[in-house]
Amino acid sequence: DAGVQRDRAVSAQEWLHKWAEGKTGFHQEQGHPLLRKYLDVLLNGRSGLRIFFPLCGKAVEMKWLADMGHHVVGVEISEQALREFFSEQGLPYREEPVPGIPGAKVLQSTSGNISLYCCSIYDLSSAVVGKFDGVWDRGALVAVNPCDRQRYASLMISLMEKNSSYLLVTVLYDPNKHKGPPFYVPESEIRSLFG
Ligand code: SAH
């Protein structure tokens, strides 16, 4: 019964705290095996894609895909996470304010192919970040507060190009035994959210 988690919410402050205290057990230093496994589905024979990482953390696959010639865009509320990404990956970067989003900044690799927005995903729109050919959603939909899922899904749909591919990783467990995140998102709900 996924309903037991319906009213549970994690605030932005709590996420920032997790980063400050190093409670980032979700981070995968070697990258996620499922992205390797389904890379062909994401790329679908195409090259030079614009790929979006919602709620990106410091996912190492962002560098991996950029090194393959794709343009990577991420969004993350923790500036610490983004700075750790660039320093751990040994990538020089610059930072700039984001026209249209007060208080937000974008950290961009000097080479220009990785742009990470430091703001809430709900501040983004296709007017700011454009549309994407591919999405890697791991630790994103399942990290979104259950009350915000519809809003999140509608936003993601608005950021997708016509022929884009969306890889979504979810987790299966008994929601009575763990309060989340990651939250349990039943398959039926994924279908109704994304249609
Ligand atoms: N996708 C990453 C991180 C997963 S944890 C990975 O797989 O490693 C979820 C991340 O979302 C956290 O880093 C948290 O700081 C960030 N986050 C939570 N709410 C957010 C929001 N509204 N906008 C942007 N980032 C958010």
Side-chain angles (χ1 to χ4, degrees), residues 15 19 26-27 55-57 75-77 119-122 138-139 143:
W15 281 111
W19 279 101
F26 49 81
H27 178 65
L55 283 64
C56 61
V75 61
E76 166 60 54
I77 43 170
C119 61
S120 170
I121 188 167
Y122 307 113
R138 184 269 173 176

Side-chain angles (χ1 to χ4, degrees), residues 100-118:
I101 312 179
K105 47 183 144 183
V106 57
L107 278 54
Q108 188 172 50
S109 61
T110 311
S111 54
N113 52 1
I114 305 179
S115 305
L116 306 182
Y117 287 80
C118 186

Side-chain angles (χ1 to χ4, degrees), residues 121-137:
I121 188 167
Y122 307 113
D123 293 333
L124 295 185
S125 65
S126 59
V128 176
V129 290
K131 294 197 180 202
F132 299 97
D133 308 300
V135 176
W136 170 243
D137 183 323

Side-chain angles (χ1 to χ4, degrees), residues 56-125:
C56 61
K58 53 176 180 177
V60 302
E61 299 93 334
M62 296 194 286
K63 174 158 190 298
W64 191 50
L65 287 166
D67 286 346
M68 286 182 196
H70 303 292
H71 189 108
V72 172
V73 174
V75 61
E76 166 60 54
I77 43 170
S78 167
E79 187 173 332
Q80 178 187 339
L82 299 182
R83 293 196 190 285
E84 286 180 12
F85 169 78
F86 286 111
S87 66
E88 289 171 14
Q89 300 303 322
L91 294 170
Y93 64 98
R94 55 172 173 262
E95 64 182 82
E96 280 163 27
V98 182
I101 312 179
K105 47 183 144 183
V106 57
L107 278 54
Q108 188 172 50
S109 61
T110 311
S111 54
N113 52 1
I114 305 179
S115 305
L116 306 182
Y117 287 80
C118 186
C119 61
S120 170
I121 188 167
Y122 307 113
D123 293 333
L124 295 185
S125 65

Side-chain angles (χ1 to χ4, degrees), residues 18-33:
K18 284 184 204 277
W19 279 101
E21 291 170 3
K23 291 183 180 156
T24 51
F26 49 81
H27 178 65
Q28 302 233 322
E29 274 174 36
Q30 305 303 320
H32 203 287

